[in-house]
């Protein structure tokens, strides 16, 4: 199982820390999730996105920031800033976009 079990509690802690530091809630959240096998993409997205949304609504009713959920497959070898062309998106690089 590749799902982060305590994500809701971790998100609440981080959101509270952000609020204490800035006196504002984030309007947008970018969540980068690494190390997911291809067959677990949907389960991870469903569970972990719900956990993030629950954390936000638990802090304040109606608080629904825009969430960008980025999931990266295990052993992908694609780099954001490749040193050479072979490390970039190619035959082994796969990107999946889910619009929420």
């Amino acid at each position: 199982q590749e799902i982060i079990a305590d994500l809701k509690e971790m998100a609440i802690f981080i959101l509270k820390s952000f609020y204490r530091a800035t006196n504002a809630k984030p309007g947008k959240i970018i969540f980068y999730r690494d190390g997911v096998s291809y067959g677990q993409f949907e389960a991870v997205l469903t569970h972990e996105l719900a956990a993030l949304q629950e954390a936000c609504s638990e802090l304040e009713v109606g608080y629904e920031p825009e969430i960008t959920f980025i999931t990266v497959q295990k052993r992908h070898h694609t780099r954001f800033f490749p040193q050479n062309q072979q490390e970039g998106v190619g035959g082994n690089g796969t990107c999946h976009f889910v619009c929420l």
Side-chain angles (χ1 to χ4, degrees), residues 38-93:
Y38 186 77
Q40 290 289 307
F41 279 178
E42 190 170 335
V44 167
L45 173 66
T46 300
H47 177 81
E48 294 182 5
L49 180 59
L52 292 171
Q53 292 169 329
E54 289 171 18
C56 292
S57 64
E58 190 170 305
L59 290 176
E60 181 180 316
V61 175
Y63 174 49
E64 298 178 0
E66 182 180 316
I67 299 174
T68 301
F69 194 99
I70 301 169
T71 305
V72 180
Q73 189 171 350
K74 286 183 176 181
R75 297 176 289 281
H76 56 81
H77 305 297
T78 301
R79 305 291 177 248
F80 279 126
F81 302 102
Q83 297 297 313
N84 59 58
Q85 196 170 20
Q86 284 124 345
E87 291 179 349
V89 175
N92 66 347

Side-chain angles (χ1 to χ4, degrees), residues 14-15 18-19 22 24-29 56 63-66:
I14 291 169
L15 290 167
F18 182 89
Y19 186 81
T22 65
K25 298 182 300 280
K28 297 180 180 183
I29 296 172
C56 292
Y63 174 49
E64 298 178 0
E66 182 180 316

